[in-house]
Amino acid sequence: MADSPDFHAAKAMLEWQIELGADEAIAEAPVNRYDTAPPAPKPAPAPTPVARPAPAAPPPPEARADEAIATARALAAAAPDLSALRAAMDRFEGCELKRGARNLVFSDGNPAARVMIIGEAPGRDEDLQGKPFVGRAGQLLDRMLDAIGMSRTADDPDSAVYITNVVVWRPPQNRDPLPAEIAMMMPFLARHVDLVGPEVIVPMGNTACQALLGRTGITRMRGKWTDVLGRPALPMFHPAYLLRNPINKREAWHDLLTLRARLRDGT
Ligand code: URA
C-alpha cells in the first residue's frame, strides 16, 4: 500500500467529498463521464399509423343504376325546354354508352308536329351525323312518311313529324340497349314527350315498346292503338326490321293508313 494514502489522508478526502455533496456510493468503479460517448439519440418513435378509412368499395351495379335514374329524373325535371333538356342529357354521366359515342343524337324534325316517332338508338350513321334515322332505316322511314304526305322537314304541324330515340348514344356494335340503359334514359324521354306535347306517339320496334309500354311483341302490338305517357300511341314495325323482312311492309302500310286516318278524321 505504498501509494495508498494513509488512513487520515483518506478520511480527510472522504470528508471533503461529503462536504461537496458526494455522500452516496453509486457504483463499485468510478465512471469517467468525459470518456463516455454521448448516448445515441433514441430512435424516434414510429409514427402512429393514422387510421384512414378503408377505400369505399364501389357501389353494386344496381345501386349505381338507381343513382343514375335518380340523377336523370332530377336533370330532366329541371329542364324547362328542349334545348335545356338536350344540355341536361349532355351533362348526364350515368350512361356508359356516352363514352363510346361520337355524338349525342337528340332529335330531328318539327317540335310542333302532331306526331312524335320514337325509335330505338342511333346506329353508325346517326352517331356520325348527330341526327336520328339518317341511315338506311331512316331513308326507308322517310319514304314511308312520304307515302302518307308527311315529312320531318315539313313546317306545317299537320304533315310534320318529330323524331327521337329511347337511347341517345350509339350502343357498341349496334347491340340492343340494355334494360338498365333504357331505365336511366326513360326520365329524359318522358320529359322530351312532355315538352314536345305530341297528339300521337309512334313507338317503332320492340325497344321503344319495352321502354314506353313495358312489354315487347311488336308483331302482336303493331297497328293497335294504345296509351303511352297519357297519349294515344300506335306501335309500328321498326324500319330496320322492314329492311330485313320486306314481306311485312304490307302491315306497315296498313299502320301508316291507320295513323293518317286518325290525324285527318280523328278515327
Ligand atoms: N334505328 C333507330 O332506332 N334509330 C335511329 O336513329 C337509327 C336507326
Side-chain angles (χ1 to χ4, degrees):
M1 296 278 284
D3 290 337
S4 309
D6 67 10
F7 168 79
H8 295 287
K11 185 167 174 270
M13 276 168 70
L14 277 173
E15 281 168 356
W16 179 69
Q17 289 189 27
I18 288 166
E19 218 174 293
L20 291 175
D23 57 355
E24 194 182 346
I26 292 180
E28 287 293 306
V31 176
N32 182 348
R33 301 282 170 199
Y34 292 105
D35 283 345
T36 317
K42 280 194 192 161
T48 320
V50 179
R52 285 183 212 287
E62 316 80 60
R64 268 183 284 144
D66 287 351
E67 200 183 311
I69 293 170
T71 306
R73 278 202 191 116
L75 285 170
D81 55 34
L82 289 175
S83 71
L85 182 65
R86 191 191 193 293
M89 292 170 94
D90 217 7
R91 284 202 308 280
F92 179 61
E93 297 296 339
C95 184
E96 283 299 312
L97 296 177
K98 182 179 182 181
R99 311 207 197 300
R102 286 187 181 82
N103 280 301
L104 184 159
V105 177
F106 185 66
S107 71
D108 196 18
N110 184 345
R114 294 170 69 194
V115 177
M116 181 166 181
I117 294 175
I118 302 178
E120 176 179 316
R124 182 176 171 276
D125 297 307
E126 290 76 19
D127 181 45
L128 284 169
Q129 294 187 39
K131 264 193 195 183
F133 283 102
V134 292
R136 278 185 69 224
Q139 287 156 19
L140 175 57
L141 175 60
D142 286 339
R143 290 199 299 278
M144 289 162 65
L145 293 170
D146 187 54
I148 54 165
M150 301 189 83
S151 126
R152 65 172 98 190
T153 55
D155 291 330
D156 162 25
D158 281 342
S159 44
V161 293
Y162 183 79
I163 307 175
T164 191
N165 283 309
V166 174
V167 166
V168 293
W169 294 287
R170 181 193 182 192
Q173 279 86 47
N174 295 343
R175 66 155 168 75
D176 291 345
L178 304 174
E181 291 161 351
I182 294 175
M184 68 180 73
M185 298 317 290
M186 263 318 286
F188 292 118
L189 182 58
R191 184 74 184 135
H192 205 157
V193 169
D194 269 3
L195 290 170
V196 172
E199 204 175 302
V200 167
I201 294 176
V202 176
M204 287 196 144
N206 270 326
T207 297
C209 287
Q210 178 62 50
L212 296 162
L213 291 156
R215 56 188 196 279
T216 56
I218 190 66
T219 309
R220 269 172 286 112
M221 291 157 76
R222 55 142 282 274
K224 297 191 185 104
W225 286 100
T226 181
D227 196 82
V228 159
L229 300 168
R231 295 165 198 276
L234 186 67
M236 285 190 194
F237 281 131
H238 193 287
Y241 174 84
L242 294 173
L243 286 173
R244 294 191 303 273
N245 302 276
I247 187 103
N248 291 108
K249 284 186 182 171
R250 216 174 10 175
E251 283 96 342
W253 175 238
H254 176 272
D255 300 345
L256 288 166
L257 294 179
T258 304
L259 175 66
R260 187 174 68 177
R262 171 86 178 218
L263 294 170
R264 284 205 177 151
D265 328 319
T267 56

